[in-house]
Amino acid sequence: MRSISKILLALLVGLAGALAAVSPAGASASPPQELGGLDLGAYCRSLGNADAVLTGSTAYDWHCVGADGRRSDLTFEAACRWTYATGSAVDRIGDFRDPASVRCWRVAPGAVAPDFENYCTSRGHSAAALLGATVYDWRCVNHSRGGPTYFPVDVLAVCRKTTSGAGTVERFVNFHDARTWQCRV
């Protein structure tokens, strides 16, 4: 009886291991995949608007416009998900000051906050410093008797360091909030 119990237990453990190996949780995530750009006019029309309009010189100056000329905000992430028909799509603004720099990426669920402090100190700097409110205001800093010296930060490199080298897309959620950077794998 004891032998049969041990055999059954061994079979159950083996079966559980085999199931874990083939389950999605046991599978390694695929790297982020660039899907492409957006047809914001088609997206806005899908919402019942007449078109999309660019009213300024930044990525945030895109709006949907109704037949009556009224503008409404649009969400790039929603536009990416609609365009590529997947809930795993996110937007990435390559350069906030270039309205045409928005691209869509397929990523795994969940986001990791970049560790600016660890990145800067691992590169021999004293610390990370936030010199303003926007996402472009992060710097590495060296403190000395002559005062601080600031160095540019490569956010993609920060994300790769934070995620131990995983394939990563760096993106921000809100340009005007420096703490909204995300590392997406």
Side-chain angles (χ1 to χ4, degrees), residues 100-118:
S101 70
V102 181
R103 306 293 288 173
C104 299
W105 288 78
R106 181 185 322 261
V107 295
V112 176
D115 188 345
F116 290 100
E117 189 72 21
N118 184 36

Side-chain angles (χ1 to χ4, degrees), residues 54 57-62 76 93 95-102:
L54 181 62
S57 61
T58 74
Y60 284 1
D61 293 323
W62 281 108
F76 291 131
I93 299 171
D95 178 355
F96 180 73
R97 293 171 185 86
D98 178 1
S101 70
V102 181

Side-chain angles (χ1 to χ4, degrees), residues 117 119-128 140-143 149-152:
E117 189 72 21
Y119 169 80
C120 290
T121 58
S122 74
R123 296 183 57 86
H125 299 290
S126 303
C140 291
V141 61
N142 285 348
H143 297 289
T149 305
Y150 298 99
F151 300 88

